[in-house]
Amino acid sequence: MTVPAPADHAWAGLTEHLHLWWPADELSRWGDDSFFDLEDNALVETSAEDEENVWGEVIEGRPGQWLELRWKHPGSASTTQVRLELVLGDGGAADTAEPTLVNRPSESTSTVLTLGHDGWTTADPQDTYDFYRLFWPGALARYRRFMGGS
């Protein structure tokens, strides 16, 4: 998915302003009044009553480039991995086989975001897998609109 913003702005929108675009109406333990944030190396949902749920723990990442989370869906006994990666648009790594350093100075006005959600096993409920297969494209569409895309 292409975001109409340079990589540093796209990263800030993705990580620092998550609470402004996260679809709490679709994925939340407590609903629209929840607050989502990346804090203390985790994606945390906080309820209006200050209860917390950790959706994903940061496994590793490189600020401005990629982030990998150990994902835990409530009610599921297993964990999966979610990886978000940004590369420069306008002829950057997403468009060619040549490697591109995302943090280099650039005139690029767009950034490509990819998301992978892996690590599913046959023990995982099919309905949970199906939910995320539909959830992520909608969530990323909200992020894109937040960043000025259509």
Side-chain angles (χ1 to χ4, degrees), residues 24-44:
D25 58 327
E26 295 179 33
L27 182 64
S28 168
R29 295 212 42 208
W30 299 289
D32 286 341
D33 291 335
S34 292
F35 184 83
F36 284 82
D37 197 18
L38 277 169
E39 59 182 55
D40 299 325
N41 287 321
L43 175 59
V44 178

Side-chain angles (χ1 to χ4, degrees), residues 115-135:
L115 181 142
H117 193 161
D118 301 317
W120 299 97
T121 69
T122 55
D124 294 314
Q126 183 67 38
D127 60 340
T128 302
Y129 173 82
D130 291 341
F131 169 80
Y132 283 109
R133 192 172 51 80
L134 297 173
F135 170 76

Side-chain angles (χ1 to χ4, degrees), residues 3-17 86 111 143 146-147:
V3 178
D8 58 340
H9 292 155
W11 184 260
L14 184 66
T15 60
E16 297 170 27
H17 305 295
L86 295 176
T111 304
Y143 163 70
F146 170 74
M147 294 303 299

Side-chain angles (χ1 to χ4, degrees), residues 6 88 90 104-110:
L88 294 174
D90 299 334
R104 71 185 171 135
S106 172
E107 297 300 317
S108 179
T109 58
S110 67

